[in-house]
Amino acid sequence: MDGFGGSLVVAAHELKTPLALVRQLSLQLAETDDEVTRAEIIRRIRLTSERSLRLVDNLTKAARLEAAMFEMEPVVLGNLCREVVDELSPLTAALNQEFQINTGRTPLVAVGNRDLLRSLVMGLVDNALQYNTPDAPVEISARIQRGEAVLAVRDHGATMDLAEFRALSKSIGRRAMPVAARPLSSGLGLLIAQKFASAMGGRLSVERHRRGGMTFRAHLPASAQLSLLEV
């Protein structure tokens, strides 16, 4: 990030919206006696809090990257993606969203740190859920291309104009950048995902779809153990 001060500013921006929402929801909770309404407010507080905690956890991991040594191992991408989807199922249901996973019949194996890779995928999927429209699923796919294991997460959210897309493409990996078409995020989650990918010898890329939506891809070293069935 652009220095420690810049990191704090971006983190504060990213956390301000969910914290303000939790405060507002808690006030509503205190004012209502309707059990159905109370249950819905409690559910929204829990989901918002969980997302904020995931962001804080990833911030902590990102801050420790340079000082830590991470064990690299073969990781089956399909299994990992299904774990993430299962963990996020309460959020998915609350947002009226669905997933479509396509990782093929042959296990696709990347070389990485399982904990970092899981956090990376969680961040990309969490980001897609915030912007995707309910009439199309969040698409998760993986393939081997030119010696890389490529994991892609596509949403069908707001269309981004070309200038904004080019600015986002240039900013990935260097700084967090607010995107006008996607105002819920300062881009901190994507910056953290790039840091995780870089720590594992990989990178992040982005594709803009003219009919709406974005695809974010994590490019990681592929493992030769393609016959591996479980990691």
Side-chain angles (χ1 to χ4, degrees), residues 1-3 7 58-66 70 116-117 119-120 124 171-176 187-204 220:
M1 299 181 190
D2 299 333
S7 301
N58 283 345
L59 274 169
T60 303
K61 289 177 183 175
R64 295 174 178 170
L65 282 180
E66 294 182 1
F70 294 97
L116 285 186
L117 185 51
S119 295
L120 189 160
L124 294 183
S171 73
I172 288 181
R174 300 199 309 272
R175 60 188 176 89
L188 180 60
L190 297 176
L191 179 60
I192 292 174
Q194 165 62 19
K195 286 185 175 293
F196 288 165
S198 180
M200 294 182 286
R203 60 189 173 88
L204 209 65
L220 298 161

Side-chain angles (χ1 to χ4, degrees), residues 67-86:
M69 294 292 292
F70 294 97
E71 179 183 353
M72 303 290 280
E73 59 181 322
V75 180
V76 179
L77 294 180
N79 295 347
L80 189 67
C81 290
R82 284 185 282 273
E83 288 177 15
V84 169
V85 166
D86 182 64

Side-chain angles (χ1 to χ4, degrees), residues 114-136:
R114 186 175 181 82
D115 187 39
L116 285 186
L117 185 51
R118 187 176 184 280
S119 295
L120 189 160
V121 175
M122 181 77 73
L124 294 183
V125 172
D126 200 11
N127 178 72
L129 283 172
Q130 304 308 310
Y131 299 104
N132 194 54
T133 56
D135 57 349

Side-chain angles (χ1 to χ4, degrees), residues 199-220:
M200 294 182 286
R203 60 189 173 88
L204 209 65
S205 67
V206 59
E207 178 183 356
R208 164 182 171 265
H209 300 284
R210 291 184 178 181
R211 295 185 178 181
M214 306 284 289
T215 295
F216 290 93
R217 293 185 177 89
H219 303 255
L220 298 161

Side-chain angles (χ1 to χ4, degrees), residues 139 141 143 145 150 152-162 165-166 168-169 172 182 190 204-219:
E139 300 173 23
S141 61
R143 68 180 189 275
Q145 182 179 17
V150 183
V153 179
R154 179 184 175 175
D155 66 64
H156 296 264
T159 301
M160 187 178 298
D161 66 46
L162 189 56
F165 169 72
R166 287 173 176 168
L168 175 62
S169 300
I172 288 181
R182 299 183 170 216
L190 297 176
L204 209 65
S205 67
V206 59
E207 178 183 356
R208 164 182 171 265
H209 300 284
R210 291 184 178 181
R211 295 185 178 181
M214 306 284 289
T215 295
F216 290 93
R217 293 185 177 89
H219 303 255

